[in-house]
Amino acid sequence: MSGNESKITHKLRMMSGFELPIDTLSLLKPDGSLHDGAKAPKLSKETALRIYDTMLFIRVLDERMVAAQRQGRLSFYMTCIGEEAAVIGSAAAFEDHDMIMGQYREHGALRYRGFPTEQFMHQMLSNSKDLGKGRQMPIHYGSRALNYMTISSPLATQIPQAAGYAYGQKLDGKKACTLVYFGEGAASEGDFHAGMNMAAVLKCPTVFFCRNNGYAISTPSEEQYAGDGIAARGVGYGMQTIRVDGNDVLAVFAACVEARKIAVEKQEPVLVEAMSYRLGAHSTSDDPSGYRSKDEEEKWRSVDPVLRMKNWLIAKKWWAEQQEKAVLETYRKEVLDTLKATEKVPAPALEEIITDVYDQPPAHLQQQLAELREHIAKYPEKYPKTAQGVK
């Protein structure tokens, strides 16, 4: 029923923003058992172990890369710690030919699709083997082969882009959809509302996935918005909407399987709000001790999404402690060895900054390149990697 066809009343009554509370789907307890009355989704052993293996890899990658940044080997890094179930559990519910548009904290989704360790390193070190040729800041990954759109730094720009990309999928008659990630902070941006409205009106097969992790950098969610969270906005835009426990991989996977089914089969958008917690800092430039307590963090560690899934796998006899120890040791060595090897890869050739974009670079860019060469040649100590290739 549209707003123009609503039921007529003759009594004046205002509605509160909390009169339509949206439940949170939760299936899995922290100890790995199911809640009473909960039903686990159809999740094969192979897929479950692939999800968990990706979780372990991302934990190791995050740990090692934060350390590498502290050592001065990387300029910047952002972790996925605490949100692995939300990110990897959702990615697992989609097909490889579905497009993924991330915000910046979804490297678990990219890894789940098969992004190799070397490519993570090439991108973060901006070397000549980086798929983006060093044009993006660290963790702004992209892969055409894996249908993972390159990350864009400006907040929320991927949301209207996802609506538009999905509309193109619809016009092409593809049995595919677009999954777009964003945080609850991005949901305050105008781009969020523009993208949601466009997708709702044009019936775009877009799955909007909000990682509500409690903080927009240092601003707690209760200071970001009024009303019943982000999910209520999906209802307001006329979308099918669900809120899930973002630390519960089974709930996330089940919700996203259904969301994809609606998007592809009914050709309409869906909003999923995953309630989680960012256990790590916003980035390596952030210090969360200035705005939240250790007690708060410890409370959320008790519902750690990785531990919760591990307990479930062990209960099903699909996993064992000894296996985990071996996998972690393997990944720690792989990540460190790959980082060391990748650090030896040279920077991209300077001229590729324009020749790799234009078939015939325009004269004004060629002039700028010549001036850049002169500048680097004059101050080589300021550009130690690039200066080696500048004469």
Side-chain angles (χ1 to χ4, degrees), residues 206-240:
T206 316
V207 176
F208 296 92
F209 191 96
C210 177
R211 297 178 292 93
N212 192 335
N213 66 14
Y215 286 90
I217 308 183
S218 60
T219 305
S221 57
E222 60 266 24
E223 294 180 18
Q224 297 176 46
Y225 55 78
D228 189 27
I230 310 304
R233 302 179 193 177
V235 176
Y237 278 112
M239 291 183 195
Q240 298 205 50

Side-chain angles (χ1 to χ4, degrees), residues 354-355 357-369:
I354 59 173
T355 59
V357 176
Y358 292 90
D359 182 39
Q360 293 294 331
H364 72 285
L365 290 183
Q366 294 188 42
Q367 176 62 33
Q368 290 178 23
L369 178 61

Side-chain angles (χ1 to χ4, degrees), residues 30-52:
D31 66 3
S33 63
L34 294 176
H35 288 286
D36 291 342
K39 182 180 178 182
K42 291 183 180 178
L43 181 60
S44 68
K45 178 180 178 181
E46 179 185 10
T47 301
L49 292 180
R50 182 177 167 189
I51 292 172
Y52 190 62

Side-chain angles (χ1 to χ4, degrees), residues 73-382:
R73 299 162 79 177
L74 295 179
S75 60
F76 181 78
Y77 193 76
M78 301 179 95
T79 73
C80 183
I81 295 173
E83 299 178 70
E84 293 90 345
V87 173
I88 303 167
S90 55
F94 289 79
E95 300 292 333
D96 288 346
H97 59 270
D98 294 327
M99 175 57 72
I100 292 180
M101 295 190 183
Q103 179 159 300
Y104 44 54
R105 206 182 295 283
E106 297 88 9
H107 40 295
L110 187 57
R111 177 67 177 190
Y112 184 82
R113 287 202 166 177
F115 204 60
T117 308
E118 305 86 64
Q119 284 299 340
F120 279 108
M121 301 301 168
H122 291 321
Q123 198 284 329
M124 285 186 279
L125 293 169
S126 297
N127 63 34
S128 56
K129 292 186 178 180
D130 168 26
L131 297 177
K133 300 289 180 64
R135 294 190 179 89
Q136 290 277 10
M137 62 186 293
I139 65 93
H140 286 47
Y141 311 106
S143 172
R144 184 189 298 271
L146 298 176
N147 288 315
Y148 193 96
M149 190 69 73
T150 301
I151 303 298
S152 177
S153 291
L155 194 64
T157 52
Q158 76 279 14
I159 300 173
Q161 291 167 3
Y165 194 92
Y167 189 54
Q169 290 172 312
K170 180 175 185 172
L171 294 179
D172 288 342
K174 294 181 177 178
K175 293 294 183 184
C177 64
T178 297
L179 167 64
V180 56
Y181 292 102
F182 52 92
E184 84 285 351
S188 297
E189 297 286 334
D191 279 353
F192 166 81
H193 298 284
M196 291 280 284
N197 195 50
M198 175 182 172
V201 173
L202 296 178
K203 301 295 183 187
C204 306
T206 316
V207 176
F208 296 92
F209 191 96
C210 177
R211 297 178 292 93
N212 192 335
N213 66 14
Y215 286 90
I217 308 183
S218 60
T219 305
S221 57
E222 60 266 24
E223 294 180 18
Q224 297 176 46
Y225 55 78
D228 189 27
I230 310 304
R233 302 179 193 177
V235 176
Y237 278 112
M239 291 183 195
Q240 298 205 50
T241 298
I242 188 169
R243 174 180 286 149
V244 299
D245 178 346
N247 285 18
D248 175 351
V249 71
L250 297 186
V252 172
F253 180 78
C256 288
V257 166
E258 185 63 20
R260 183 184 187 275
K261 183 179 178 182
I262 293 169
V264 174
E265 295 184 4
K266 296 186 177 180
Q267 293 287 285
E268 61 179 75
V270 181
L271 173 64
V272 180
E273 182 182 23
M275 309 306 293
S276 186
Y277 188 80
R278 191 195 75 213
L279 277 174
H282 172 68
S283 74
T284 47
S285 301
D286 176 44
D287 178 9
S289 67
Y291 54 84
R292 67 186 193 192
S293 68
K294 288 293 181 186
D295 288 344
E296 179 183 304
E297 294 177 9
E298 287 306 313
K299 172 188 168 187
W300 281 92
R301 288 187 195 284
S302 67
V303 290
D304 184 303
V306 178
L307 179 59
R308 194 186 296 196
M309 186 175 192
K310 172 184 169 181
N311 290 337
W312 180 70
L313 290 172
I314 290 176
K316 291 183 72 68
K317 302 190 185 304
W318 288 356
W319 194 247
E321 292 285 0
Q322 200 58 33
Q323 285 176 274
E324 177 145 327
K325 183 180 179 182
V327 169
L328 288 174
E329 288 178 356
T330 299
Y331 280 149
R332 284 168 183 149
K333 184 176 188 309
E334 177 185 323
V335 168
L336 280 181
D337 289 349
T338 306
L339 175 62
K340 290 177 183 175
T342 309
E343 287 175 316
K344 299 174 182 175
V345 177
L350 187 60
E351 61 271 19
E352 287 185 354
I353 198 169
I354 59 173
T355 59
D356 198 40
V357 176
Y358 292 90
D359 182 39
Q360 293 294 331
H364 72 285
L365 290 183
Q366 294 188 42
Q367 176 62 33
Q368 290 178 23
L369 178 61
E371 292 171 355
L372 180 59
R373 284 183 179 283
E374 291 177 11
H375 174 79
I376 293 175
K378 188 175 182 179
Y379 304 103
E381 72 280 3
K382 301 294 184 183

